[in-house]
Amino acid sequence: MPLLFQNARIVTATEDYAADLLVIGEHIAAIAPRLVAAECPPGTRVIDATGKLLFPGFIDPHVHVYLPFMGTFAKDDWTSASRAALVGGTTTLIEMICPGKGEEPAAAYAIWKGHAAGKAACDYAFHMGVTRWDALADRQLREIVADGTASFKVFLAYKGALGVDDRELYHALKLARELGVVVTAHCENETLVAERQAELIAQGHTGPEWHEPSRPPTVEASGVEHLMRFAEVTGAEVYVVHTSCADALDAARAGRARGVNVHVESVIPHFVLDRSYAERSGFEGAKYIMSPPLREKPHSNALWQALCEGFISTVGTDHAPFDFEAQKAMGRNDFTKIPNGIPSVEHRVQLLYTHGVAAGRIDLHRFVDAASTRAARIFGLTGKGSIAIGGDADLCLWDPAHRGVISAATHQMASDYSAFEGWPVQGRAEVVTVRGTVMAEAGRFVGPFGHGRFLKRSPKLPG
Ligand code: URP
Ligand code: ZN
Ligand code: ZN
């Protein structure tokens, strides 16, 4: 059904203006100061956008939906994760494919794609995880890129599980450079983490509050510095995921100053939560275990500053949901066994708006850029992340006057707790469309599952 947004204030990464906007089919058909319903195609639905902001659909460049990890599986599937994303205003997800150590890339690729196909309500793409290096991996990774998955993921952490050694890292970066794809990287020095974990456990420090001391800022900065040096040698374009602290930002800045083509992502938990949450008594802290860990407040201040300056390119979630009762509890006597991750795909946009825009830390343009536009640019999501005639009609009509409270009792994600329980939020996605189909309205999912499309992306041209 054609849609006519009337009296909208259209806000993108670079523009802010009043207009009406017409959607026909999957695309934006017209934008003009005044469009009259009588002159639109028969059956056009008119949406009154008075007092609201019309944003491009938001893009989360870092989620885990299907994730076998730390002896269990992440709690969401593509129906619950995409429903939650849409209710929160996110119209495209990029999922990390995480093959087990030694697993064939093509086999993992087929499994991950199979989980999303026919279920996802929002559009989606993947970053292809590299966990081995040999002739077979080289061949299959080329085929995967040719299939439209034009970015890689490497873990410099999780020793013996997902982590790559230096040889694997070197070849993954070299291939990426050759093919023109970006390498996203989890940066922590895996040896330092493993040794510190063992020491702390041997000393009887078993609670969740010891997770952060086992992987302090220096350990993350060491990982970023390592990536920067390998990127320098290979010339690969790199993207540091979930940057949590000032030390890691400094290591990325130093790399960029030496000419490394590096992008920096931070994720919403690191902006709005801090280490004290993981120190909560009675094992409550387990709800806040993720890696890199939540840091002391000055580090989140450094993230806000870097976001405001534009050094942080994107704000994602690293959505990795595990139940508190049955899954986080696996690490009750040993923090190293608590499944890492915080469910957050639903509330990223609302939290960034509340703690960023409404709190005066970032302006609306930076908000849209970091939560949508820049991810589309970096990862080659053509037609996404902007509002332009002919572009995909992925839109989020935002009510800045809405006031709400986050709770697991009402959220759409499958996890049994919210890390933001009882938090007040400002603003809400009132109408969310994916390629012209209304998928969420006023906090409710209304669209069909299976509407989501796999987004084929092209490598960047050499140059
Ligand atoms: O704690 C986290 N981040 N869990 C998900 C896996 C990863 O490292 O991204
Ligand atoms: Zn990670
Ligand atoms: Zn992740």
Side-chain angles (χ1 to χ4, degrees), residues 135-432:
L136 182 88
D138 181 280
R139 178 168 56 75
Q140 293 187 349
L141 287 167
R142 288 171 191 273
E143 288 164 6
I144 288 164
V145 170
D147 186 59
T149 290
S151 49
F152 292 159
K153 169 69 184 286
V154 290
F155 289 91
L156 278 61
Y158 305 130
K159 203 179 182 69
L162 301 170
V164 284
D165 62 25
D166 282 351
R167 188 182 147 272
E168 292 161 339
L169 175 62
Y170 176 68
H171 286 287
L173 290 168
K174 257 184 75 175
L175 181 65
R177 166 71 184 162
E178 181 196 327
L179 299 180
V181 306
V182 184
V183 178
T184 70
H186 175 138
C187 296
E188 289 180 296
N189 183 300
E190 61 172 8
T191 306
L192 287 175
V193 172
E195 294 305 310
R196 289 181 68 87
Q197 283 181 333
E199 280 166 19
L200 288 164
I201 294 295
Q203 289 161 10
H205 298 314
T206 58
E209 68 276 21
W210 294 99
H211 177 71
E212 201 276 345
S214 76
R215 45 216 311 155
T218 314
V219 166
E220 186 181 342
S222 163
V224 176
E225 155 71 6
H226 199 70
L227 180 76
M228 292 303 108
R229 295 294 177 183
F230 273 60
E232 246 176 298
V233 171
T234 57
E237 181 176 354
V238 291
Y239 175 100
V240 180
V241 302
H242 50 39
T243 310
S244 75
C245 59
D247 311 54
L249 289 172
D250 288 347
R253 273 197 190 96
R256 185 176 284 179
R258 292 194 303 273
V260 175
N261 189 0
V262 55
H263 310 278
V264 176
E265 170 199 272
S266 292
V267 295
I268 199 68
H270 287 129
F271 285 97
V272 298
L273 297 165
D274 62 64
R275 180 176 146 165
S276 66
Y277 287 87
E279 292 168 345
R280 287 185 166 180
S281 60
F283 199 61
E284 271 287 295
K287 293 177 177 174
Y288 301 92
I289 295 303
M290 67 175 291
S291 295
L294 301 177
R295 304 295 190 191
E296 302 278 4
K297 266 232 163 60
H299 289 291
S300 45
N301 293 338
L303 297 184
W304 282 114
Q305 183 64 30
L307 177 63
C308 186
E309 290 163 2
F311 183 68
I312 290 176
S313 308
T314 56
V315 177
T317 56
D318 193 14
H319 176 72
F322 296 98
D323 272 348
F324 179 60
E325 291 298 336
Q327 296 184 294
K328 294 279 184 182
M330 291 160 61
R332 199 167 267 285
N333 302 312
D334 179 346
F335 72 86
T336 69
K337 298 195 164 50
I338 299 170
N340 287 197
I342 296 181
S344 42
V345 73
E346 187 168 341
H347 299 112
R348 172 184 66 127
V349 176
Q350 227 171 10
L351 288 167
L352 189 63
Y353 185 86
T354 304
H355 294 271
V357 177
R361 287 177 165 128
I362 53 170
D363 67 19
L364 280 169
H365 299 300
R366 180 68 64 206
F367 167 70
V368 174
D369 191 42
S372 176
T373 311
R374 205 86 80 91
R377 296 244 172 86
I378 294 170
F379 296 116
L381 294 164
T382 310
K384 308 290 193 192
S386 61
I387 295 184
I389 294 170
D392 285 2
D394 292 4
L395 298 164
C396 175
L397 184 66
W398 188 260
D399 180 4
H402 178 86
R403 297 291 180 273
V405 174
I406 296 176
S407 174
T410 49
H411 74 196
Q412 305 290 320
M413 301 176 289
S415 45
D416 67 355
Y417 80 96
S418 171
F420 315 102
E421 186 66 41
W423 284 31
V425 276
Q426 296 189 29
R428 177 170 77 172
E430 285 300 311
V431 179
V432 181

